[in-house]
Structures are given as C-alpha cells and as structure tokens.
Amino acid sequence: MPESMTARRQKVTQLLAAHDLDVLVLHELNTIRYLCGFTGSDGLLVAGREQTVFLTDSRYTVQAGEQVCADRVEEYRVKIDGLLGLLREFGVRRIGFEADLAFGTVVKLQEKGGAGWDWRPLDDELAALRLCKDEAEIALMEQAAGLHVAAFAEVAELLRPGVEERAIALRLEFALKNAGAEEKSFDFIVASGVRGALPHGVASDRTLQDGELVTIDFGCRWQGYHSDETVTVAIGEPSGQLRRIHDIVREAHDRALVAVRPGIPLHELDRIAREYIAAAGYGEYFGHGLGHGIGLAVHEAPRLSPRSELVAAPGMVFTIEPGVYLPGVGGVRIEDMVLVTDSGARLLTQLPKECIDYTV
C-alpha cells in the first residue's frame, strides 16, 4: 500500500477510536478516492478497525481491482443489500456515516439493518480527514495552478473591446485542456463592466467595452485535484473609482495573505481583509467569506469567514479572495490559492494581480 494511503488509513482508525465506532460507511466519491484511490462514479467504502472493504457494481469491478487500495473489493447487485450483508459479516453495532446521506436511504438502512445497530451521522469529523494535504496532493494542486499561466497568455489577446465574455471563457477552457487539464473546475466567471457586480457572473454574450474592468475566475482539475484563481483586469483606462476599488481589494488581499501562518484563526484572516475594505468605505459591498479550502473538491473545508472556528495549520490549502461589488458600476475580485507551511505560507497560483490593461 502506498505510504500516503497508509497514513490516511491511520486517520480513519483514529476517528473510529475517538468516536467509539465499529465502522465507517462512506459514499462521497471524493472521500472514497482520498482513502482508497477509486476514481469511478459509484461505490461504497466500509472502513473498520481491522479491515477496509470497497463495494461496487459490475461496471467498476475490474477498475476497482486495478485502482483500489483496500483489503477486499466486493461486487453487489443491490447497493443497500450488499452493504447490509457486509455490516452483518463485520458484526457491527456502532456505524458512522456521512451526514449528507439522503434521508430516505438512512431510513431504509435503519429499517433493514440490525435491530441493535446505532447509526451515527458525521460531518466535520469526516471533513477533517482531508483538511491538511500531504506532499503529493500539494504537488498536484500546484501543477494544476501552473497550467493557468500559459492558458491565460493565450486568452490575453481577446481582452479587447467588442469581444464576448463567452468567447473568453471558451478559449480559456480550451487552452487549459490543451495544456493537459482533465476538466474545468466550474463554469468560468467572466464578468465585465456592470456585470462585475455579480460575484458569480458566469460568462454571457455581453461584449467588453473600453474603460471598464473584467473579472475572470477560473480553474481546472489535474489528476483529480483542483485549482482556482481570479484576476480583475482593465480594458483600456478605467475610471478613477474603478481603479480605487481595485487598489482597495488588492491591498485587502495582500494584507490577509501576509498574515497567513500556522496558528492564526481563519476568522482573523477574514477580519483583516474585511476591516480594511470597510475602513475604505466599501464594507457593505463585500458580502461573501474571504475564501475556501480546495483539493479533490473545488470548494471544501476549511472555510474562511467571520464564523470560521478553525485555525490555520501546515498543509491546509485555501483561497484568499476578497471582493467589492458595486451594483450598476462594476466589481473587483482578486484570488490566489495559498498553502500554509510550517513557517508561514506559499502561493500556489502565479498570475500577476495588478490592474493590467491588456489592450496596450
């Protein structure tokens, strides 16, 4: 078994002991991939104190045999029946499962399972398994982010008045895939002019205009791991107000970034950026959290917001992405991926974050 999988198996063993559980039943595909390496679209991982068993149907039996790091691979015809049969074989009483499992499925398991079985939903406890990345995961995310540089260079020639937002998004997606990306991380945001006030303004048929800003939020997946980066650039010479907003957001971004270090509360990072934006007079126009974790999912733990309860720890990878969104005027967001190191932090994304005018 690869060293990384052995370490991850130990995390599960510790979780079982900490919560007095006999077994974990996992259905979320990213968690399954993290713990056993399976990349298909359906299956269950049953992790006990003595052995781990991967369950799937006939579509994935061969694939699982080649990929999965588990003590056994079992094929089922009916998923619930296969799971319950294995749990009876294990002789379990206390079963941990993911709290987002469909309510109807939970009811069926309780009705058809053993009378004395104790089903216990887990949420943050499972998210913690993937909270801190190992060296292999960090390398893959850095490689994913590295694809952005060449891809964005291809798109730069389109950052001109008269070009549709959709054309920019399409070229960017093609360039990333041409560079080797498996897939885009999400529907790219290309929000120009007044549409910049939409934090999730996915690309439209609007054409770029001289004197405005355009926010481009994009990322890709590389060997299962995601990247995420946002730049806001100029089309010609923007107004003084838009320039000022960009300067404010960039300074908030930089202040939070410099503060990243092991032990700092994540809500404190959010506060640093949020208070700077508020002091500049734009606090009401920054409504979302400062950032989010990223890895096998493009949005995962930890969250950076005023309500965050975690502290930064070595191996965490998250985004720093403050923004200001003025209805009827425009908006700015600047985003980087950052790795918490033993002594501070390291950027994984590489694009410049100045207010660059690509029409020059």
Side-chain angles (χ1 to χ4, degrees):
M1 180 180 294
E3 183 178 349
S4 60
M5 288 299 179
T6 300
R8 295 171 192 181
R9 179 79 65 86
Q10 291 173 348
K11 290 183 182 181
V12 172
T13 302
Q14 292 167 359
L15 190 153
L16 290 169
H19 295 277
D20 193 25
L21 297 171
D22 298 319
V23 71
L24 280 178
V25 175
L26 304 168
H27 74 277
E28 202 276 323
L29 290 171
N30 286 325
T31 302
I32 288 174
R33 179 169 185 163
Y34 177 76
L35 292 174
C36 75
F38 178 68
T39 65
S41 64
D42 197 17
L44 293 170
L45 187 66
V46 179
R49 301 195 184 202
E50 301 298 328
Q51 63 174 315
T52 297
V53 180
F54 180 72
L55 300 166
T56 192
D57 59 42
S58 60
R59 296 172 298 166
Y60 291 115
T61 303
V62 173
Q63 179 180 338
E66 296 173 347
Q67 286 185 330
V68 168
C69 291
D71 297 299
R72 290 160 49 193
V73 173
E74 298 286 344
E75 182 181 313
Y76 56 71
R77 289 192 175 183
V78 179
K79 184 184 291 188
I80 287 181
D81 293 344
L83 171 61
L84 294 176
L86 182 63
L87 294 178
R88 291 189 180 96
E89 177 190 326
F90 274 23
V92 301
R93 290 186 59 83
R94 297 172 296 276
I95 306 162
F97 67 96
E98 290 153 313
D100 65 350
L101 188 62
F103 178 74
T105 301
V106 175
V107 171
K108 287 181 181 179
L109 289 170
Q110 291 174 331
E111 290 176 348
K112 299 179 72 172
W117 290 358
D118 179 11
W119 296 87
R120 301 183 184 180
L122 302 175
D123 189 3
D124 292 343
E125 302 90 342
L126 290 175
L129 293 175
R130 289 167 30 209
L131 200 57
C132 294
K133 275 58 179 179
D134 59 35
E135 291 183 2
E137 293 177 287
I138 293 164
L140 291 175
M141 281 187 282
E142 191 161 25
Q143 290 163 15
L147 299 178
H148 294 192
V149 178
F152 198 82
E154 288 191 34
V155 170
E157 66 182 40
L158 296 182
L159 298 176
R160 301 286 187 275
V163 177
E164 286 189 0
E165 294 173 348
R166 284 199 181 101
I168 296 168
L170 183 61
R171 174 75 73 85
L172 191 52
E173 180 180 353
F174 178 81
L176 285 167
K177 289 183 177 178
N178 194 47
E182 295 172 340
E183 187 53 85
K184 60 183 179 181
S185 291
F186 47 83
D187 289 336
F188 294 165
I189 293 168
V190 181
S192 61
V194 295
R195 293 192 71 253
L198 303 174
H200 282 180
V202 296
S204 73
D205 58 3
R206 184 185 188 278
T207 59
L208 277 57
Q209 305 296 320
D210 185 58
E212 63 187 21
L213 299 179
V214 55
T215 296
I216 304 174
D217 186 346
F218 68 105
C220 65
R221 188 181 73 222
W222 168 252
Q223 296 188 33
Y225 283 81
H226 292 84
S227 59
D228 190 2
E229 187 169 10
T230 306
V231 296
T232 300
V233 302
I235 306 300
E237 181 58 39
S239 69
Q241 183 184 31
L242 290 174
R243 278 275 183 189
R244 172 168 164 73
I245 292 171
H246 194 288
D247 290 345
I248 290 167
V249 172
R250 187 180 175 201
E251 180 65 20
H253 162 277
D254 292 352
R255 289 186 178 208
L257 196 60
V258 168
V260 177
R261 64 184 184 276
I264 188 170
L266 298 184
H267 66 76
E268 175 66 9
L269 295 175
D270 183 278
R271 183 197 65 77
I272 289 169
R274 195 171 302 280
E275 288 191 355
Y276 181 80
I277 291 173
Y282 292 95
E284 65 182 294
Y285 303 108
F286 176 29
H288 58 73
L290 181 65
H292 58 84
I294 186 168
L296 284 167
V298 72
H299 292 91
E300 62 182 43
R303 301 290 181 181
L304 281 67
S305 79
R307 296 173 297 281
S308 299
E309 297 180 352
L310 298 175
V311 300
M316 283 185 179
V317 177
F318 48 74
T319 64
I320 298 288
E321 50 179 303
V324 168
Y325 313 93
L326 288 180
V329 176
V332 175
R333 181 165 63 256
I334 297 173
E335 176 186 19
D336 276 304
M337 290 168 55
V338 59
L339 164 69
V340 183
T341 67
D342 290 334
S343 58
R346 177 164 64 87
L347 281 179
L348 300 185
T349 38
Q350 303 170 28
L351 288 174
K353 299 305 185 292
E354 296 88 356
C355 189
I356 296 173
D357 176 6
Y358 284 92
T359 66
V360 176

